Amino acid sequence: MLGNHSSEFYLLGFPGSPELRHTLFATFFLFYSVTVMGNMLIIVIVSVDKRLQSPMYFFLGYLSVLEILITSVAVPLMLWGLLLPGMQAISLTAGSAQLYLYLSLGTSEFILMGAMPVDRYVAVCNPLRYNIIMNSHTCTWVVIVSWVFGFLFHIWPVCATFQLTFLKSNVLDHFLCDRGQLLKLSCDDSHFTQFILFLMAVFVINGALIPTIISYPYIISTILKIPSASGRRKAFSTCASHFTFVVIGYGTCLFLYVKPKQTQAAEYNRVASLMVLVVTPFLNPFIFTLWNDRFIKAFQDIMKRCWQLLRG
C-alpha cells in the first residue's frame, strides 16, 4: 500500500512471456536507435551545410533535438524494464521528473510545430519579405519562447498530480509514470484536476494547430497558382513533410491528452504512449528528409566527402 509521501512506484510495463518481452525489446531498441541516429544526422547536416542555413531547417534542427530528448525521457527506462523479470521500481522523484520532462518537452515541440507553418506561409505567400520577417532574431526568440513556455506551463500540473493521496496501490499499469494511471490510483476526488488538465491540453494542442489550419489553405492556393510544374513540386516538397508530421503528431496526442477523463484504460494509454514516444519519432526523420530535395542533395554531398576522406 502507498501513502502520499511514499518513496517509489512500481511500473507493470508489458505483461507477457519472457519471449514476448525480448521480442518487444529488440523491436523498440531498433526503433529508438534509428530515431536517435536519424535525428542526430539531421542536426549534423543542418549545422554543417551552408545551403540549409534557413529558418525552415533551423526549426527542423531544434525539432530533431526535441525528438531525441522526448523519446530518451522514457524509452531507455522502458527497454530496461523489458529485460527485468518482474515489475520495475521508480522513485517518486524520478517519476515526477520523468512526467515533467515528458510533458514540458512535448509542449515545446507543439509550439515549434505551430511556428513552422507560419514560416512556410511567409516563404510561399510573401517570399520578397521572407528574410526580413523570418530573420535570425525572430527564429531564436521562437525557440526560446517554446522552451520557456513548455517548462513553465507544466509546473502546476505535475505538482498537483503528485500532491494527491495514493493509498489504493503503488503499481502503475504502464511503462512510464503516466498521469492518467496516477490519477486512477488516487484516493482524492480528482475530477476538478482532470478538467483543468483537459482545458490545458486543449489550449496547447489546439492553440498550436490553429496556425496550421489558417496557413495551409493560403499556402496550397498559392502553390497551385505557380505556372511551372517544377516550381509547384519544389514548393510542395517543403510543405508536405511538415503537414504529414502535423497529421501524425497531432492525431496521436489528441487521442492521448484531449479528453475530459484522463483515467482511460491502461491498454489505451499504453498504445497511445507508444505511438507518441516510439512510432512517431521513428517516422519523423524519414518524413522530413524523403520529400526534401535540398536535404537529400546535402546528405549525398556529405556522404561523398566522407567517402573521399576515407579513401584518401
Side-chain angles (χ1 to χ4, degrees):
M1 303 299 287
L2 179 67
N4 191 42
H5 301 289
S6 174
S7 60
E8 63 183 10
F9 290 96
Y10 288 92
L11 302 178
L12 190 59
F14 297 88
S17 65
E19 292 77 13
L20 174 62
R21 292 163 67 89
H22 292 159
T23 301
L24 290 175
F25 173 85
T27 303
F28 296 151
F29 180 77
L30 174 64
F31 275 48
Y32 178 66
S33 301
V34 172
T35 297
V36 173
M37 290 188 293
N39 282 290
M40 286 186 66
L41 183 64
I42 290 174
I43 295 167
V44 170
I45 293 176
V46 168
S47 300
V48 302
D49 197 292
K50 293 182 179 180
R51 292 167 295 183
L52 303 182
Q53 302 303 307
S54 69
M56 183 181 80
Y57 297 101
F58 176 81
F59 291 141
L60 178 58
Y62 273 97
L63 192 64
S64 296
V65 171
L66 285 169
E67 289 284 24
I68 293 174
L69 293 175
I70 290 170
T71 191
S72 297
V73 164
V75 174
L77 188 68
M78 177 188 72
L79 292 173
W80 176 244
L82 286 168
L83 296 178
L84 297 176
M87 291 183 292
Q88 184 178 17
I90 183 170
S91 68
L92 189 66
T93 303
S96 58
Q98 183 189 59
L99 181 62
Y100 176 67
L101 289 173
Y102 171 52
L103 295 174
S104 300
L105 291 167
T107 299
S108 300
E109 184 177 59
F110 275 117
I111 296 172
L112 202 57
M113 286 167 58
M116 292 175 76
V118 177
D119 169 71
R120 290 298 83 207
Y121 168 79
V122 178
V124 174
C125 302
N126 202 353
L128 296 179
R129 300 188 62 195
Y130 181 65
N131 291 328
I132 299 173
I133 298 173
M134 301 303 297
N135 54 53
S136 59
H137 183 76
T138 301
C139 295
T140 302
W141 269 108
V142 168
V143 172
I144 292 173
V145 168
S146 70
W147 282 76
V148 172
F149 181 84
F151 278 83
L152 291 178
F153 191 72
H154 286 286
I155 293 175
W156 177 84
V158 174
C159 289
T161 300
F162 282 92
Q163 285 299 313
L164 297 171
T165 304
F166 303 100
L167 293 172
K168 295 179 181 178
S169 173
N170 61 349
V171 177
L172 293 173
D173 192 2
H174 212 288
F175 58 83
L176 55 82
C177 266
D178 177 64
R179 186 168 61 193
Q181 294 303 304
L182 287 167
L183 293 172
K184 204 172 185 178
L185 294 182
S186 171
C187 296
D188 300 330
D189 185 0
S190 62
H191 287 90
F192 177 74
T193 302
Q194 291 188 52
F195 179 69
I196 297 299
L197 294 175
F198 166 71
L199 292 180
M200 293 177 71
V202 169
F203 174 75
V204 170
I205 297 178
N206 291 350
L209 189 60
I210 287 173
T212 302
I213 296 173
I214 295 175
S215 299
Y216 268 98
Y218 291 102
I219 293 172
I220 294 170
S221 175
T222 303
I223 290 175
L224 293 176
K225 293 176 183 177
I226 297 175
S228 65
S230 60
R232 288 194 300 270
R233 182 180 179 278
K234 183 179 179 181
F236 176 76
S237 67
T238 62
C239 301
S241 56
H242 173 262
F243 188 75
T244 304
F245 175 73
V246 165
V247 170
I248 297 175
Y250 281 101
T252 52
C253 287
L254 283 170
F255 280 110
L256 186 58
Y257 296 114
V258 184
K259 53 184 187 288
K261 188 176 181 181
Q262 297 287 314
T263 55
Q264 293 284 352
E267 284 301 319
Y268 177 96
N269 282 347
R270 191 182 287 113
V271 172
S273 297
L274 281 174
M275 289 294 297
V276 172
L277 287 166
V278 178
V279 179
T280 303
F282 169 77
L283 294 175
N284 287 343
F286 301 101
I287 292 172
F288 279 111
T289 57
L290 291 179
W291 288 346
N292 194 309
D293 295 336
R294 188 183 296 182
F295 187 92
I296 291 173
K297 185 67 169 61
F299 174 73
Q300 291 172 342
D301 290 346
I302 289 177
M303 289 297 103
K304 287 178 183 177
R305 273 184 247 161
C306 291
W307 175 248
Q308 289 170 357
L309 288 173
L310 288 174
R311 290 183 64 186

